[in-house]
């Protein structure tokens, strides 16, 4: 689980390391998976293609859920609806181990990106580039971002990945959910091009994060680049805590 709050700079650095470690682990795990059917973690299969689960996938999907192997083999695909999977205790870990990705889940009834959230997936899972790409293929980037970008911690996790471009999520969107969360807002900016990521960010959004001069300077933003990139006027810069000298 990604860290959900940060109280100090050391905690922030730890959070970034955790997100990076999870991203690496996700990529490694994905590389170790051997898709056992055509749909597994694939984005090119027609949406109406039938879902066929191998015995190995069924065992992985229901591992440690109380569902016996015999029951897993006997269960029809039609029974594997998202509510049914939840009721049986199937977790995102099980689904990933079974190579059951967002496209397959959509065919099983998870027709909205919010259904992935209900199944237990979080912004941290977007650190896996293949999983993120498949989620976007299944539901569209806008819907995925709307479902997964809800909290400051989500913004930190998304910014910590290489997938912000795939998700087509902009800095304004990530900073908006960081309203009143200056430490997380700083974490978002720390992971973006230093001193150059505020283009198109309304000054009101930056002010709402609670970031002020000291923290902004630490992540590469002084008066000149804030004014240039956000269109901030003198009063705005003063509210950010900068001292204007004539």
């Amino acid at each position: 689980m990604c860290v959900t709050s940060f109280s100090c700079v050391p905690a922030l650095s730890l959070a970034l390391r955790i997100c990076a470690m999870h991203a690496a682990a996700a990529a490694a795990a994905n590389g170790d998976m051997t898709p056992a059917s055509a749909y597994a973690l694939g984005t090119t299969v027609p949406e109406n293609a039938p879902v066929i689960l191998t015995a190995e996938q069924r065992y992985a999907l229901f591992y440690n859920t109380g569902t016996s192997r015999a029951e897993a083999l006997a269960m029809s695909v039609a029974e594997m609806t998202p509510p049914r999977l939840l009721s049986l205790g199937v977790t995102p870990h099980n689904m990933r181990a079974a190579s059951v990705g967002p496209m397959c889940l959509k065919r099983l009834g998870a027709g909205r990106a919010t259904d992935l959230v209900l199944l237990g997936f979080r912004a941290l899972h977007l650190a896996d580039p293949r999983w993120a790409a498949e989620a976007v293929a299944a539901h569209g980037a806008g819907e995925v971002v709307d479902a997964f970008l809800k909290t400051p911690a989500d913004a930190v996790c998304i910014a910590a990945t290489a997938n912000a471009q795939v998700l087509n999520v902009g800095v304004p969107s990530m900073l908006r959910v960081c309203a009143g969360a200056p430490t997380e807002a700083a974490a978002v900016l720390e992971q973006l091009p230093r001193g150059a990521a505020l283009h198109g960010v309304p000054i009101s959004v930056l002010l709402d994060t609670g970031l002020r001069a000291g923290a902004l300077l630490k992540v590469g933003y002084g008066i000149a680049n804030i004014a240039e990139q956000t269109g901030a006027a003198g009063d705005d810069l003063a509210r950010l805590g900068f001292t204007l000298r004539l």
Side-chain angles (χ1 to χ4, degrees):
M1 179 178 292
C2 186
V3 175
T4 57
S5 63
F6 310 96
S7 59
C8 59
V9 173
L12 167 60
S13 298
L14 175 61
L16 300 182
R17 289 199 299 272
I18 289 173
C19 285
M21 287 168 58
H22 277 291
N30 225 13
D32 290 340
M33 289 182 182
T34 302
S37 64
Y39 69 78
L41 286 173
T43 61
T44 59
V45 180
E47 193 170 311
N48 59 354
V51 173
I52 301 173
L53 295 174
T54 66
E56 290 79 7
Q57 284 180 292
R58 289 168 177 266
Y59 297 153
L61 189 61
F62 294 103
Y63 177 74
N64 205 28
T65 65
T67 301
S68 69
R69 287 195 164 200
E71 291 170 329
L73 288 175
M75 189 179 300
S76 70
V77 168
E79 294 179 87
M80 297 181 191
T81 62
R84 177 69 168 156
L85 294 177
L86 276 175
S87 70
L88 293 173
V90 175
T91 68
H93 181 75
N94 292 92
M95 294 177 235
R96 287 178 53 77
S99 293
V100 173
M103 193 69 79
C104 177
L105 290 169
K106 185 175 184 179
R107 297 188 192 103
L108 293 174
R112 307 282 298 180
T114 50
D115 292 328
L116 298 176
V117 176
L118 292 175
L119 284 167
F121 290 100
R122 297 293 179 261
L124 181 59
H125 292 95
L126 296 171
D128 178 346
R130 292 173 65 188
W131 195 94
E134 186 170 337
V136 169
H139 303 289
E143 189 175 326
V144 171
V145 171
D146 287 345
F148 284 89
L149 182 57
K150 296 293 188 183
T151 70
D154 294 339
V156 173
C157 285
I158 289 173
T161 77
N163 298 321
Q165 191 170 19
V166 171
L167 296 169
N168 196 28
V169 57
V171 179
S173 297
M174 289 189 282
L175 290 183
R176 279 192 183 95
V177 300
C178 292
T183 307
E184 288 89 339
V188 169
L189 293 177
E190 191 174 41
Q191 298 165 89
L192 301 173
R194 185 174 177 83
L198 291 178
H199 290 284
V201 175
I203 187 59
S204 60
V205 171
L206 185 60
L207 284 163
D208 286 347
T209 65
L211 279 170
R212 294 299 180 259
L216 286 164
L217 287 167
K218 286 180 181 178
V219 293
Y221 294 91
I223 290 175
N225 45 10
I226 291 175
E228 177 190 354
Q229 294 172 42
T230 70
D235 289 347
D236 299 318
L237 294 168
R239 290 173 64 193
L240 286 171
F242 289 101
T243 300
L244 303 179
R245 296 177 182 174
L246 300 176

